[in-house]
């Protein structure tokens, strides 16, 4: 007996969205200087990655690691064919981002009321109203907007999250005009079981071609969860070079899945990504040296025969 | 084994290899009483099979030099199997004398690996194992067969699926009740796992297959998921992910039992194993080894204070 998942196919191509310079660096203990950030993004631009999340236009009072957002945005080499989205939590951030040269932005929703309250001090409904201002301005400026939904497989405060709630928030953000919805397992508690259940609900409301998964490896489940998502037709996957970015909710635990480990798996499945794994590993080595830390990528660790 | 609506097995047997495969590949050697305590703790977790030790010459594997003492010293819980490695007839007799009631033999799908590891060809190793399985049959002792390098070899690189199928078939035909397919250097991916299993499943019944995945390249859980989607219902793992990779310095080896169970629990698959009890045993042995756990579930659970 072979399950339908195993008998089914995989997408021929997967778009890898690199979140190391933003999500990764924002959640690292050590802060790196602006030239290092710029060099990191420039190196990533040479690997074949098509999307590199560059920075976050949020007040440095809240996120000091991203205080240099304008300098980074203006300092990087913007290669043709590569998108450099930035986070914009509100209209003010959006305007600053566009002024600094951003051509794509991202907004962050959540499937948990408690998480939203703790994170940005309002309800989900209120957060979507704030985003509507950004959507309107983005529409007028012809700037694409990517929507993130946090806590899709569990919340550090509420625990279990219903798949129906994730579908509801995703649908709202998609209807508002986000071209893509990235579903985030924020604390990495998801498993192939919960991933499948959640995606089945979301796919009823949002076309699978507009979906991405953003898996955290805090419980070692990321690649297995990503595999299931691919089997269900998802073809956009977020990852962070060297697995940068720990988990703010579990001290010392890991966070983002490592781009190298993801690309290794996709290569093994014969799925095209356009990414040069060696160049990616070299970039990981660079940023880990700058951060004075070991890589979280197992592929990188294994390939380094010291 | 009736598949669930999802097509996955309802029950998966976890074979715990930490005390043997794990400890054999750790830098620090633990004293006999610590080994015994580890196995006794694991016996209380619900694990159905715990690989205890290896009856191999202490000249080659000093970490397992205390095999007799360990075998005789552990508590034997009803319903739990305690297999031991026996590379040849001599080791087999020694194991039986020490009270073993199940043994394992180790083949490989790569000639180079076989030569480098046990200094003989695959064919010669099979002949040695046949002596063991013949004796074992006479004594009603079950024998488990391992096939190393099922998804790649540290010396030969690529390993062809048909070769894995051929070696597996030899071991199964000589009387091994179960064949554990090992991704010895962890280079496998869901792609190569699928191809290899398709070839092996032509020769061996699914119910006699197990996968032994290494996490050296972070692919273990994805590979295990692929295997169970294809109907494999026996998975080897090591508490706390004990046992590094001897072929890639500093790299990890065995997949952590805790992380496997977490995934299987999330899939609604029954294992009979208490995850918290395994984490406690993992904590015990890591403290004794003075090292951090390789299990992400254990790391996260201890950090968030859920343990």
């Amino acid at each position: 007996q072979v399950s339908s998942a195993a008998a089914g196919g995989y997408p021929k191509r997967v778009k890898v969205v690199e979140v190391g310079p933003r999500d990764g660096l924002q959640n690292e203990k050590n802060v790196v200087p602006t030239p290092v950030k710029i060099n990191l993004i420039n190196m990533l631009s040479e690997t074949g990655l098509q999307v590199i999340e560059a920075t976050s236009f949020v007040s440095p009072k809240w996120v000091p690691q991203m205080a240099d957002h304008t300098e980074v945005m203006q300092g990087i080499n913007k290669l043709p064919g590569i998108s450099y989205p930035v986070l914009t939590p509100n209209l003010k951030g959006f305007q600053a981002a566009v002024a600094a040269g951003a051509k794509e932005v991202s907004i962050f929703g959540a499937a948990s009321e408690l998480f939203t309250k703790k994170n940005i001090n309002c309800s989900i409904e209120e957060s979507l109203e704030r985003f509507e201002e950004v959507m309107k301005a983005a529409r007028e400026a012809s700037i694409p907007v990517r929507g993130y939904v946090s806590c899709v497989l569990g919340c550090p405060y509420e625990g279990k999250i219903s798949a129906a709630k994730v579908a509801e928030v995703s649908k709202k953000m998609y209807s508002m005009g986000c071209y893509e919805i990235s579903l985030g397992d924020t604390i990495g508690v998801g498993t192939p079981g919960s991933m499948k259940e959640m995606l089945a609900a979301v796919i009823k409301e949002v076309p699978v071609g507009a979906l991405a998964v953003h898996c955290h490896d805090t419980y070692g489940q990321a690649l297995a969860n990503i595999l299931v998502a691919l089997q269900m037709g998802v073809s956009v996957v977020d990852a962070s070079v060297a697995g940068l970015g720990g988990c703010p909710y579990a001290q010392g635990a890991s966070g983002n899945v490592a781009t190298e480990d993801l690309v290794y798996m996709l290569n093994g499945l014969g799925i095209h990504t356009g990414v040069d794994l060696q160049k990616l590993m070299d970039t990981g080595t660079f940023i880990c040296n700058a951060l004075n830390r070991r890589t979280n990528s197992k592929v990188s660790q294994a390939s380094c025969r010291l | 084994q009736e598949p669930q609506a999802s097509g996955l097995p309802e029950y998966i047997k976890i074979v715990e290899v930490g005390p043997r495969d794990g400890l054999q590949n750790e830098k620090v050697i633990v004293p006999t009483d610590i080994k015994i305590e580890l196995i006794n703790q694991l016996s209380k977790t619900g694990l159905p099979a715990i690989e205890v030790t290896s009856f191999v010459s202490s000249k080659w594997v000093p970490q397992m030099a205390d095999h007799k003492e360990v075998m005789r010293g552990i508590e034997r819980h009803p319903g739990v199997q305690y297999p031991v490695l026996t590379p040849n007839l001599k080791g087999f007799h020694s194991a039986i004398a020490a009270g073993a009631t199940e043994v394992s033999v180790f083949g490989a799908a790569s000639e180079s690996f076989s030569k480098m590891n046990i200094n003989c060809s695959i064919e010669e190793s099979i002949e040695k194992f046949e002596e063991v399985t013949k004796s074992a049959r006479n004594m009603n002792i079950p024998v488990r067969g391992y096939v190393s390098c099922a998804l790649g070899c540290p010396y030969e690189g690529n390993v062809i699926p048909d070769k894995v199928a051929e070696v597996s078939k030899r071991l199964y035909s000589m009387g091994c009740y179960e064949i554990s397919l090992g991704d010895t250097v962890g280079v496998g991916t869901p792609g190569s796992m699928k191809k290899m299993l398709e070839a092996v499943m032509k020769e061996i019944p699914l119910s006699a297959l197990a996968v032994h995945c290494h996490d050296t390249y972070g692919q273990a859980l994805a590979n295990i998921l692929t295997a169970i989607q294809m109907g494999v219902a026996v998975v080897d793992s090591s508490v706390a992910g004990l046992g590094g990779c001897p072929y890639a310095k500093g790299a990890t080896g065995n997949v952590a039992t805790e992380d496997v169970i977490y995934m299987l629990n999330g899939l609604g698959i029954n294992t009979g194993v208490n995850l918290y009890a395994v984490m406690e045993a993992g904590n015990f042995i890591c403290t004794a080894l003075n090292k951090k756990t390789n299990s992400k579930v254990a790391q996260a659970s201890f950090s968030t204070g859920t343990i």
Side-chain angles (χ1 to χ4, degrees):
Chain A
Q1 270 315 76
V2 174
S3 82
S4 54
Y10 288 98
K12 286 201 167 50
R13 319 178 82 87
V14 162
K15 179 174 85 174
V16 176
V17 174
E18 172 59 48
V19 301
R22 203 285 305 168
D23 192 356
L25 292 183
Q26 181 171 320
N27 287 297
E28 282 291 324
K29 278 196 301 282
N30 296 331
V31 182
V32 293
T34 309
V36 173
K37 284 184 181 133
I38 290 172
N39 196 35
L40 168 65
I41 296 166
N42 289 345
M43 284 183 81
L44 289 167
S45 291
E46 300 290 334
T47 62
L49 284 160
Q50 293 171 265
V51 186
I52 302 163
E53 197 177 58
T55 187
S56 185
F57 280 79
V58 68
S59 163
K61 202 171 36 159
W62 301 124
V63 187
Q65 305 91 320
M66 299 284 128
D68 55 1
H69 39 67
T70 304
E71 294 89 332
V72 169
M73 202 62 212
Q74 287 172 343
I76 57 176
N77 295 336
K78 296 206 188 85
L79 269 57
I82 302 182
S83 184
Y84 299 91
V86 299
L87 245 72
T88 53
N90 48 39
L91 191 59
K92 182 164 169 234
F94 174 81
Q95 285 159 346
V98 174
K103 298 268 185 290
E104 178 176 332
V105 302
S106 308
I107 57 173
F108 260 78
S112 154
E113 286 291 358
L114 219 48
F115 186 84
T116 305
K117 190 109 189 87
K118 293 246 185 194
N119 238 29
I120 51 176
N121 203 23
C122 64
S123 70
I124 296 178
E125 193 58 47
E126 285 163 343
S127 74
L128 293 178
E129 278 162 30
R130 285 185 202 173
F131 294 145
E132 190 53 66
E133 295 185 298
V134 176
M135 300 308 303
K136 190 158 174 284
R139 221 171 359 252
E140 279 158 22
S142 284
I143 300 255
V145 182
R146 186 186 213 227
Y148 281 89
V149 181
S150 300
C151 298
V152 302
L153 298 178
C155 171
Y157 311 108
E158 284 186 19
K160 208 169 182 315
I161 294 290
S162 82
K165 188 71 184 174
V166 181
E168 181 197 319
V169 176
S170 304
K171 182 180 184 171
K172 287 205 172 116
M173 294 182 77
Y174 184 68
S175 309
M176 280 164 66
C178 293
Y179 77 92
E180 193 168 83
I181 306 295
S182 174
L183 303 162
D185 181 13
T186 307
I187 47 172
V189 291
T191 63
S194 56
M195 172 63 86
K196 187 165 189 233
E197 199 193 319
M198 183 275 294
L199 281 177
V202 177
I203 287 172
K204 287 195 190 124
E205 308 293 345
V206 180
V208 73
L211 292 178
V213 287
H214 183 112
C215 297
H216 278 194
D217 204 38
T218 319
Y219 289 76
Q221 309 293 306
L223 286 188
N225 293 344
I226 288 165
L227 191 69
V228 165
L230 295 173
Q231 289 172 349
M232 292 179 76
V234 172
S235 62
V236 184
V237 182
D238 299 359
S240 177
V241 62
L244 293 181
C247 180
Y249 307 97
Q251 222 215 66
S254 59
N256 286 303
V257 69
T259 314
E260 298 92 316
D261 300 359
L262 169 67
V263 170
Y264 185 90
M265 181 174 82
L266 297 176
N267 284 351
L269 280 161
I271 294 174
H272 177 88
T273 61
V275 179
D276 181 326
L277 182 54
Q278 187 55 58
K279 286 192 179 150
L280 188 59
M281 287 198 280
D282 293 342
T283 309
T285 302
F286 161 75
I287 192 60
C288 287
N289 285 339
L291 282 164
N292 193 28
R293 59 158 288 176
R294 285 190 70 191
T295 181
N296 264 342
S297 155
K298 287 202 165 173
V299 169
S300 226
Q301 265 170 260
S303 307
C304 192
R305 280 157 203 267
L306 292 166
Chain B
Q1 193 91 311
E2 278 301 307
Q4 309 177 48
S6 63
L8 300 173
E10 273 189 12
Y11 171 77
I12 286 187
K13 178 175 97 173
I14 306 261
V15 176
E16 171 60 47
V17 301
R20 203 285 306 167
D21 192 356
L23 292 184
Q24 180 170 321
N25 288 297
E26 283 291 328
K27 282 195 293 286
V28 177
I29 298 185
V30 295
T32 309
D33 58 336
I34 301 271
K35 284 183 180 132
I36 289 171
E37 176 59 25
L38 171 64
I39 294 164
N40 289 346
Q41 286 196 24
L42 290 168
S43 289
K44 299 187 180 117
T45 61
L47 283 162
I50 302 165
E51 195 179 72
V52 168
T53 186
S54 185
F55 280 78
V56 68
S57 162
S58 48
K59 202 171 36 164
W60 301 124
V61 186
Q63 304 90 323
M64 300 285 126
D66 55 1
H67 37 69
K68 289 200 192 98
E69 292 88 335
V70 172
M71 198 69 218
R72 293 201 187 112
I74 56 171
E75 290 164 10
R76 307 276 282 257
H77 289 233
V80 183
Q81 301 286 45
Y82 298 94
V84 299
L85 245 72
T86 53
N88 49 39
L89 197 57
K90 180 164 169 237
F92 175 77
H93 288 316
S94 190
I96 298 301
T101 49
E102 179 176 328
V103 301
S104 309
V105 294
F106 259 78
S110 151
E111 288 290 357
S112 310
F113 188 83
S114 197
K115 196 101 188 89
M116 295 291 261
N117 233 33
I118 52 178
N119 203 23
C120 63
S121 69
I122 296 178
E123 191 58 46
E124 285 164 344
S125 73
I126 299 267
E127 280 160 27
K128 287 188 196 172
F129 302 146
E130 260 163 346
E131 292 178 3
V132 174
T133 54
K134 193 156 172 279
S135 276
R137 201 163 27 242
N138 290 341
M139 303 179 70
N140 275 333
I141 300 274
V143 183
R144 188 186 212 226
Y146 282 88
V147 181
S148 301
C149 298
L151 298 178
C153 170
Y155 312 108
E156 288 184 13
N158 235 342
V159 172
I160 52 172
D162 283 345
K163 187 70 185 175
V164 183
E166 180 196 317
V167 177
S168 303
K169 184 174 184 177
R170 294 293 297 278
L171 289 172
Y172 186 69
S173 308
M174 74 169 72
C176 293
Y177 77 91
E178 192 169 271
I179 306 296
S180 175
L181 304 160
D183 181 12
T184 307
V185 271
V187 290
T189 63
S192 57
M193 172 64 84
K194 182 161 193 254
K195 289 200 180 95
M196 184 275 293
L197 283 176
E198 277 167 354
V200 176
M201 277 160 61
K202 289 192 190 128
E203 308 291 346
I204 313 246
L206 196 46
S207 57
L209 289 178
V211 288
H212 182 113
C213 297
H214 278 194
D215 204 37
T216 319
Y217 288 75
Q219 308 295 304
L221 286 189
N223 292 344
I224 289 167
L225 182 63
T226 300
I228 69 181
Q229 284 176 343
M230 293 176 75
V232 171
V234 184
V235 176
D236 299 359
S237 60
S238 177
V239 61
L242 293 180
C245 180
Y247 307 98
K249 207 184 127 124
T252 57
N254 285 303
V255 67
T257 305
E258 299 92 316
D259 299 2
V260 172
I261 292 174
Y262 186 91
M263 181 173 80
L264 298 180
N265 285 352
L267 281 162
I269 294 174
N270 183 27
T271 61
V273 183
N274 180 326
L275 175 55
Y276 292 109
V278 177
M279 285 198 274
E280 298 283 11
N283 190 37
F284 163 75
I285 193 62
C286 286
T287 305
L289 283 163
N290 194 26
K291 65 165 276 184
K292 279 189 74 185
T293 181
N294 267 339
S295 157
K296 286 203 163 170
V297 169
Q299 262 171 264
S301 302
F302 281 101
S303 304
T304 53
T306 51
I307 269 275

